[in-house]
Amino acid sequence: MAGSNVVSSSSKAYRGLFSKMRDVNTTSEDFVRYSKRAMRLLAEDALAEFPTSDVDITTACGVFQGIERIEPTNLCAVSIVRSGDCLLEAVREVEPGCRVGKILIQRDESHKDKIAKLFYSKLPPGVESMHVLLCDPMLGTGGSAVCALKVLTDDYGVDPSMIIFANMICAPEGLDRLEKEFPAVKIVTACIDEGLNEDKFIVPGLGDFGDRFFNTP
């Protein structure tokens, strides 16, 4: 069961897009095409979760009660390299004025628990006072996400309540871990799958997102 901090990105388009993305026979070219469409939908929904203020908009025929979003310069989109870069670019297509940060984390495939290792981080000055959108298409064990969140909160001083984590597909195990360790972080996801297999891959999942997107099997 998803916790209260989980927001479902819902669109009728997702079922068709994920049917192509999950198919093992889908070429890398088609995977890129369909995943970009899906990530654009997710990016819009994730950005819509940040605070807004009410504003009256003058139209040609009257007044529309609209909203004003936070300034792009007060938003930092952070990718967990490499797969997170795909989603980051979808966010930048929607909000090109946002700041950008990078965190390089890799799973230790030789370890039975596939523990996450931090290699590098680079975030803009003043990020501790910005709203942060953390980007990674897949949430499996939660190891990489927790590692990245610790970098943001411990190393850069970002308040967890200012962070939204956007991902395409997640496993319940990863959601549970994030809810326990970072309950103030909101998660926006398109799919919650069945769980993890013995190799810590999401089932049914879609395989390695980065390998399929960048055509590096």
Side-chain angles (χ1 to χ4, degrees):
M1 293 291 291
S4 59
N5 63 330
V6 179
V7 176
S8 175
S9 172
S10 59
S11 168
K12 288 185 177 180
Y14 276 134
R15 190 168 181 84
L17 295 171
F18 276 107
S19 294
K20 292 292 187 179
M21 292 164 61
R22 293 179 186 271
D23 191 338
V24 69
N25 295 311
T26 296
T27 65
S28 179
E29 180 181 1
D30 284 341
F31 183 87
V32 170
R33 178 183 298 113
Y34 292 111
S35 65
K36 278 187 172 182
R37 290 171 58 186
M39 287 187 290
R40 180 66 178 261
L41 294 172
L42 178 67
E44 290 281 10
D45 277 354
L47 288 169
E49 290 296 321
F50 286 110
T52 60
S53 56
D54 294 333
V55 61
D56 289 336
I57 305 295
T58 301
T59 76
C61 301
V63 177
F64 171 74
Q65 294 181 344
I67 60 171
E68 190 170 67
R69 293 185 172 183
I70 59 175
E71 289 293 328
T73 52
N74 195 34
L75 170 67
C76 183
V78 179
S79 68
I80 301 178
V81 181
R82 167 184 66 156
S83 296
D85 293 339
C86 314
L87 183 51
L88 172 65
E89 288 310 307
V91 172
R92 294 184 71 223
E93 287 176 3
V94 177
E95 190 53 88
C98 70
R99 305 292 180 88
V100 171
K102 301 277 186 175
I103 301 176
L104 175 57
I105 298 168
Q106 291 185 337
R107 296 202 319 177
D108 184 354
E109 297 295 342
S110 65
H111 195 282
K112 65 180 181 66
D113 294 324
K114 312 296 184 187
I115 59 174
K117 289 185 176 182
L118 173 66
F119 286 87
Y120 171 85
S121 67
K122 178 70 173 181
L123 276 74
V127 69
E128 68 277 1
S129 61
M130 300 178 191
H131 292 276
V132 173
L133 181 60
L134 182 62
C135 303
D136 195 11
M138 309 291 281
L139 173 64
T141 64
S144 295
V146 166
C147 183
L149 289 168
K150 287 180 178 178
V151 170
L152 289 169
T153 58
D154 296 347
D155 297 350
Y156 289 90
V158 179
D159 188 325
S161 66
M162 299 280 280
I163 303 172
I164 292 177
F165 177 44
N167 70 89
M168 297 300 298
I169 299 176
C170 58
E173 293 91 334
L175 287 177
D176 289 344
R177 183 172 179 185
L178 259 64
E179 187 173 20
K180 290 176 182 176
E181 298 197 35
F182 289 94
V185 172
K186 182 180 291 186
I187 302 165
V188 181
T189 187
C191 295
I192 300 177
D193 275 10
E194 297 171 11
L196 301 174
N197 63 17
E198 59 183 14
D199 294 319
K200 307 300 182 183
F201 282 101
I202 300 174
V203 177
L206 50 71
D208 189 299
F209 193 101
D211 284 351
R212 299 191 68 184
F213 190 93
F214 294 111
N215 200 14
T216 53

